[in-house]
């Protein structure tokens, strides 16, 4: 039946299977899932195993993944936040596109390419891959960092740049015009402006009432269909107006970023976005013509390495001109050094208009794909070779001859609350932290925090640990906390040592190290939360107190058992993830009426009594 309808399930299974196998393997090896998808596409593509003969078909479908990706990014960009990014978008982004494009064009002309061919090849390569960059930032958790936000700004400008570049292609075309005129160009521009205004009005006044109405129907599949319709509809409208489909999806996300249904929309789109984005990279890999690579490998090697090098240098120079630190400039150069998916659009249009030949189109397209494959390696290499930048210590003070009664190491969320309690009773406190931004932010609130690494013995001496009555280790880094404990026990045994534990495994390590007091960072807040939940369910304060005492008693029993090397030894509990055998709680009945007026509900602490 599938074959009769034109659907080859074997090909579908092969594509999905290749992604399922290659993505996790390459990510586990440290290369990232993107490289795995690209390699999988090359292997099953028409120029290798030949599982699929027409990668363009799947590429057109998989491009929806990029569109949905930008919609999700737009949901995180409130209009006010986007307005604050305007300098990066139209300043940094424009400078990078123009500067790198000019540098690569001049390099191409120097190597003997005709000016028009050099310009088109360079400007296509200057449009970096939104999919590659954002996926790599997301995998490393850097999407919301300053580097990630500036990357989004540059990518937005590059999406806008495809429109005037396509216009330049028409101007460079040697073929006769087909009757176009300035009036037609004005109408096209007005159509694009009208599409933007219409999208804004729809997002502002129509979408929220629509989703409110659909939400009242309580049909999850309807909400999902509506979310997809909004994304694809916005992309379609932008495409009709001559603008980028990705830009339309991004704007739709921005317009819905302040909606009460933002999180629901993101959850509905996410599965489709992830699947289609993976298919996009597989389709890009399938599009790599291995015949062209074999026949033109010398030209391709020079083209790829030359364009990536010149572009990276241009990005670095622009970043430094915009006052970026050296580490960020190097990271951005490595991340943006590749060409992107919009290059395929530009090269196809230029080939159809006769600006570049078929051979040039094949070489430039292969160069872009190879640069996308090389990007994960380049980023990994740069990160391995560059040291983390030292923090700017201007305006912060290092400890020297402090003599407080209490030395607090770490002024994060945990340490701040600890210090408030001590200072409220007039205790003389010395505070250390290694984060310069946190130190500066503490000053307006009356906290004097000194810059220093508490895992270094000379810093602890300078901070007065040899005179302190109590040392409180409040940092999040487990390894550094253990090192400070070791130093404190050896160098300052007179001081009471209190330590913040990350989890049960860390707490056991601290107990074995002989600290005077340790507490898991979330234990007490979770106990309070659970007690309030029981009160909300109708238990009396006496019953809540009895339950809390029971939990604490059993927790202490488990800790004692683990300390003796009993049944928990070697099973992984030291990492906080081993199962706890036996009942955690004594089975009781919850003394509250059922919500429907029937029998009492079972206590989640244990099964109800028989009968």
């Amino acid at each position: 039946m599938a074959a009769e309808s034109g659907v080859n399930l074997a090909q579908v299974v092969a594509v999905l299977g290749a992604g399922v196998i290659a993505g996790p393997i390459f990510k586990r090896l440290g290369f990232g899932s993107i490289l795995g998808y690209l390699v999988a596409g090359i292997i099953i593509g028409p120029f290798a195993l030949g599982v699929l003969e027409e990668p363009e078909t799947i590429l057109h479908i998989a491009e929806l993944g990029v569109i949905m990706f930008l919609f999700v990014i737009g949901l995180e960009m409130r209009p006010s936040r986007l307005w604050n990014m305007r300098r990066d978008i139209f300043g940094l982004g424009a400078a990078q596109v123009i500067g790198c494009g000019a540098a690569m064009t001049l390099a191409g002309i120097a190597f003997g390419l005709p000016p028009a061919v050099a310009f088109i090849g360079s400007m296509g390569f200057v449009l970096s891959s939104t999919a590659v960059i954002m996926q790599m930032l997301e995998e490393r958790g850097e999407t919301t960092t300053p580097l990630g936000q500036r990357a989004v700004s540059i990518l937005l400008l590059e999406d806008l740049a495809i429109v005037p570049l396509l216009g330049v292609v028409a101007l460079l075309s040697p073929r006769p015009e087909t009757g176009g005129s300035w009036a037609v160009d004005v109408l096209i521009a007005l159509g694009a402006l009208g599409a933007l205004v219409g999208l804004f009005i729809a997002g502002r006044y129509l979408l929220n009432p629509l989703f409110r109405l659909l939400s009242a129907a309580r049909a999850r599949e309807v909400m999902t269909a509506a979310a997809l319709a909004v994304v694809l509809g916005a992309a379609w409208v932008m495409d009709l107006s001559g603008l980028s489909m990705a830009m339309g999806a991004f704007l739709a996300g921005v317009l819905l970023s302040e909606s009460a249904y933002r999180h629901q929309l993101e959850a509905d789109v996410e599965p489709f976005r992830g699947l289609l984005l993976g298919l996009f990279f597989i389709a890009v890999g399938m599009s790599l013509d291995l015949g062209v690579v074999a026949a033109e490998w010398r030209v391709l090697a020079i083209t790829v390495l030359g364009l990536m090098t010149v572009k990276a240098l241009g990005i670095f120079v622009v970043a430094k001109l915009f006052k970026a630190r050296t580490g960020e400039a190097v990271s951005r150069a490595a991340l943006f050094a590749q060409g992107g998916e919009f290059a395929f659009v530009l090269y196809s249009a230029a080939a159809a208009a006769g600006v570049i030949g078929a051979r040039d189109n094949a070489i430039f397209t292969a160069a872009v794909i190879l640069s996308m494959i090389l990007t994960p390696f380049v980023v990994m290499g740069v990160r391995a070779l560059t040291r983390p930048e030292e923090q700017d210590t201007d305006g912060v003070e290092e400890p020297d001859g402090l003599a407080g009664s209490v030395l607090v190491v770490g002024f994060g969320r945990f340490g701040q609350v600890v210090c408030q309690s001590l200072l409220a009773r007039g205790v003389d406190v010395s505070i250390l932290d290694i984060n310069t931004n946190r130190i500066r932010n503490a000053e307006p609130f009356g906290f004097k925090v000194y810059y220093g690494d508490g895992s270094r013995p000379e810093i602890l001496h300078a901070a007065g640990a040899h005179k302190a009555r109590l040392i409180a280790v409040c940092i999040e880094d487990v390894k550094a906390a253990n090192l400070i404990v070791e130093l404190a026990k050896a160098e300052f045994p007179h001081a009471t040592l209190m330590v913040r534990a990350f989890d049960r495994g860390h707490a056991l390590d601290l107990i074995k190290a002989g600290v005077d007091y340790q507490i898991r960072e979330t234990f007490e807040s979770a106990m309070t939360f659970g007690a309030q939940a029981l009160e909300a369910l109708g238990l009396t304060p006496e019953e809540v107190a009895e339950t809390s005492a029971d939990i604490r008693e059993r927790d202490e029993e488990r800790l004692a058992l683990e300390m003796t090397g009993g049944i928990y030894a070697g099973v992984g509990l030291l990492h906080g993830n081993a199962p706890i055998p036996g009942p955690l709680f004594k089975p009781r009945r919850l003394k509250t009426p059922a919500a429907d007026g029937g029998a009492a509900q079972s206590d989640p602490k244990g099964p109800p009594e028989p009968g």
Side-chain angles (χ1 to χ4, degrees):
M1 181 65 71
E4 293 175 1
S5 61
V7 178
N8 191 327
L9 290 181
Q11 293 179 340
V12 175
V13 171
V15 172
L16 295 178
V20 168
I21 294 172
I25 289 176
F26 276 74
K27 191 171 183 179
R28 185 67 179 269
L29 293 174
F31 298 118
S33 60
I34 297 173
L35 185 60
Y37 294 139
L38 291 169
V39 171
I42 294 173
I43 293 173
I44 67 173
F47 307 105
L49 296 181
V51 176
L52 273 82
E53 297 296 332
E54 297 181 357
E56 295 81 7
T57 303
I58 189 173
L59 183 61
H60 290 317
I61 298 174
E63 283 175 347
L64 297 176
V66 181
I67 292 171
M68 292 182 183
F69 201 174
L70 284 172
F71 175 73
V72 173
I73 295 171
L75 286 174
E76 302 297 329
M77 294 286 178
R78 300 178 185 274
S80 58
R81 186 177 175 186
L82 194 61
W83 176 253
N84 293 333
M85 294 168 59
R86 64 190 183 278
R87 179 178 178 272
D88 286 334
I89 295 174
F90 297 103
L92 176 60
Q96 180 168 310
V97 169
I98 296 172
C100 294
M104 288 189 289
T105 299
L106 292 175
I109 294 173
F111 273 89
L113 291 177
V117 175
F119 176 79
I120 294 299
S122 300
M123 295 311 296
F125 205 89
V126 85
L127 303 178
S128 310
S129 173
T130 300
V132 170
I133 292 171
M134 294 309 301
Q135 183 77 0
M136 293 185 69
L137 290 174
E138 185 179 51
E139 288 182 355
R140 290 171 170 80
E142 298 177 350
T143 307
T144 57
T145 63
L147 173 64
Q149 294 300 291
R150 279 186 275 275
V152 171
S153 302
I154 296 169
L155 290 170
L156 288 176
L157 193 281
E158 289 179 354
D159 283 350
L160 289 171
I162 187 63
V163 179
L165 285 175
L166 290 174
V168 173
V169 167
L171 293 176
L172 294 176
S173 175
R175 296 173 183 174
E177 295 185 2
T178 56
S181 65
W182 66 268
V184 174
D185 294 335
V186 170
L187 289 176
I188 292 174
L190 290 176
L193 180 61
L196 289 171
V197 173
L199 188 60
F200 175 79
I201 293 174
R204 181 76 174 175
Y205 300 106
L206 299 180
L207 292 183
N208 272 326
L210 171 64
F211 283 112
R212 192 180 304 117
L213 180 64
L214 296 177
S215 178
R218 299 186 181 277
R220 176 67 182 270
E221 66 278 5
V222 174
M223 287 290 289
T224 302
L228 293 175
V230 168
V231 179
L232 301 180
W236 175 62
V237 169
M238 290 295 102
D239 187 46
L240 288 179
S241 66
L243 297 174
S244 163
M245 290 192 293
M247 179 59 64
F250 176 80
L251 290 175
V254 171
L255 294 173
L256 288 169
S257 62
E258 296 182 341
S259 168
Y261 305 98
R262 178 170 68 91
H263 297 293
Q264 179 67 46
L265 289 169
E266 186 172 357
D268 288 336
V269 170
E270 180 64 26
F272 299 95
R273 190 273 299 180
L275 173 62
L276 291 173
L277 199 59
L279 290 177
F280 171 79
F281 291 120
I282 293 175
V284 169
M286 292 168 59
S287 302
L288 180 61
D289 192 333
L290 298 181
V292 172
V293 175
E296 305 282 358
W297 68 269
R298 292 183 180 84
V299 175
L300 269 175
I302 296 173
T303 302
V304 173
L305 296 178
L307 289 176
M308 290 186 72
T309 302
V310 174
K311 184 179 180 182
L313 290 174
I315 293 170
F316 181 83
V317 170
V318 171
K320 294 300 292 182
L321 290 175
F322 278 76
K323 311 298 183 184
R325 293 187 177 182
T326 301
E328 181 180 344
V330 172
S331 296
R332 190 186 304 161
L335 197 61
F336 277 82
Q338 88 291 128
E341 48 274 3
F342 282 116
F344 306 145
V345 177
L346 185 65
Y347 295 156
S348 297
V355 180
I356 62 175
R359 179 176 177 271
D360 295 327
N361 184 23
I363 291 175
F364 287 146
T365 300
V368 169
I369 296 173
L370 289 173
S371 71
M372 294 168 73
I373 294 174
L374 289 174
T375 296
F377 293 107
V378 173
V379 173
M380 289 177 60
V382 166
R383 296 194 178 203
L385 295 175
T386 57
R387 295 181 179 180
E389 270 197 345
E390 294 185 1
Q391 298 191 70
D392 181 11
T393 57
D394 290 343
V396 299
E397 188 176 344
E398 295 186 0
D400 185 16
L402 304 182
S405 300
V406 176
L407 172 59
V408 176
V409 182
F411 197 66
R413 295 173 299 166
F414 191 95
Q416 290 170 20
V417 177
V418 171
C419 290
Q420 289 179 38
S421 301
L422 296 170
L423 294 173
R425 302 302 298 178
V427 178
D428 187 10
V429 180
S430 301
I431 310 173
L432 279 181
D433 201 282
I434 201 169
N435 188 308
T436 55
N437 290 330
R438 191 179 294 160
I439 293 172
R440 294 188 184 95
N441 293 336
E443 290 181 2
F445 298 94
F447 292 101
K448 180 59 179 178
V449 184
Y450 294 89
Y451 175 78
D453 183 357
S455 62
R456 294 169 55 188
E458 68 273 17
I459 297 295
L460 290 177
H461 273 284
H466 57 293
K467 298 180 181 180
R469 294 171 53 194
L470 185 149
I471 299 175
V473 183
C474 304
I475 61 176
E476 300 175 4
D477 189 331
V478 173
K479 185 177 179 180
N482 290 340
L483 181 56
I484 296 172
V485 167
E486 183 180 345
L487 288 172
K489 295 296 291 184
E491 302 283 340
F492 319 109
H494 66 280
T496 300
L497 185 57
M498 305 177 69
V499 188
R500 165 193 186 178
F502 177 72
D503 56 12
R504 180 187 296 275
H506 189 208
L508 287 170
D509 292 339
L510 294 174
I511 294 172
K512 291 176 182 177
V515 302
D516 297 287
Y517 180 80
Q518 56 74 32
I519 185 170
R520 280 163 278 165
E521 57 188 13
T522 58
F523 183 77
E524 289 298 330
S525 57
M527 288 293 299
T528 303
F529 193 100
Q532 291 295 322
L534 292 177
E535 286 192 15
L537 292 172
L539 271 70
T540 65
E542 293 77 14
E543 290 171 325
V544 172
E546 180 186 357
T547 302
S548 297
D550 184 28
I551 295 171
R552 292 181 186 279
E553 179 183 350
R554 290 171 180 269
D555 183 73
E556 291 174 1
E557 290 174 356
R558 289 195 298 276
L559 280 173
L561 183 58
E562 292 156 26
M563 286 299 300
T564 61
I567 60 174
Y568 297 97
V571 298
L573 184 65
L574 292 181
H575 299 287
N577 57 9
I580 306 291
L584 288 177
F585 311 101
K586 299 174 183 178
R588 297 190 180 93
R589 300 279 290 180
L590 186 63
K591 299 179 180 178
T592 54
D596 59 358
Q601 306 230 355
S602 297
D603 187 341
K605 299 187 295 298
E609 297 174 0

